[in-house]
Amino acid sequence: MFLNILQIIAVIGTILTGLFALAAPTRIQGFTGIQPIGGRGITEVRAIFGGLFIGLGIAAFLLDTTVSYPLLGWMYLAIGAVRAVSMFTDKSVERSNLISLAVEIVFGIILVLP
């Protein structure tokens, strides 16, 4: 029961991240370090960070959770793995990256647990 509540929180967090990117794409720089420049950049932030995260979160609720939660969890773990390596190769070990990595690992583990 407690794990299920944590999984629901992780899915809601995914959707909220997407909604933030969709609603305030120019404010995402402080969150991601990405600077959406011009209309094209803003559209990309809305589409990828907004649409993808909203869509994946909603799908996790609508589809069979025994499949959708672990799938979303593996997505977070893959993002975290790439981030962990990239932080060192790109020399970007900084607070915002460490926070993102922690969230990705925690959400990933919570969502892949049965």
Side-chain angles (χ1 to χ4, degrees):
M1 178 66 168
F2 181 68
L3 176 61
N4 188 253
I5 291 169
L6 292 177
Q7 290 171 325
I8 290 169
I9 290 169
V11 174
I12 291 170
T14 302
I15 294 169
L16 290 175
T17 299
L19 288 172
F20 177 74
L22 179 66
T26 59
R27 294 184 52 208
I28 202 158
Q29 179 180 350
F31 182 62
T32 64
I34 293 174
Q35 298 177 15
I37 299 171
R40 174 68 173 98
I42 292 171
T43 297
E44 196 66 20
V45 168
R46 286 186 203 270
I48 300 301
F49 286 102
L52 182 63
F53 275 62
I54 293 167
L56 287 171
I58 290 172
F61 280 137
L62 296 178
L63 301 174
D64 178 4
T65 58
T66 62
V67 175
S68 64
Y69 281 11
L71 180 64
L72 187 58
W74 284 109
M75 178 203 74
Y76 273 113
L77 292 173
I79 291 170
V82 171
R83 182 183 307 279
V85 172
S86 294
M87 285 169 50
F88 291 99
T89 59
D90 301 335
K91 297 177 179 52
S92 65
V93 178
E94 53 192 61
R95 186 173 185 261
S96 65
N97 251 339
L98 292 169
I99 291 169
S100 293
L101 179 61
V103 169
E104 290 153 4
I105 291 170
V106 170
F107 277 14
I109 291 171
I110 287 170
L111 288 163
V112 298
L113 291 174

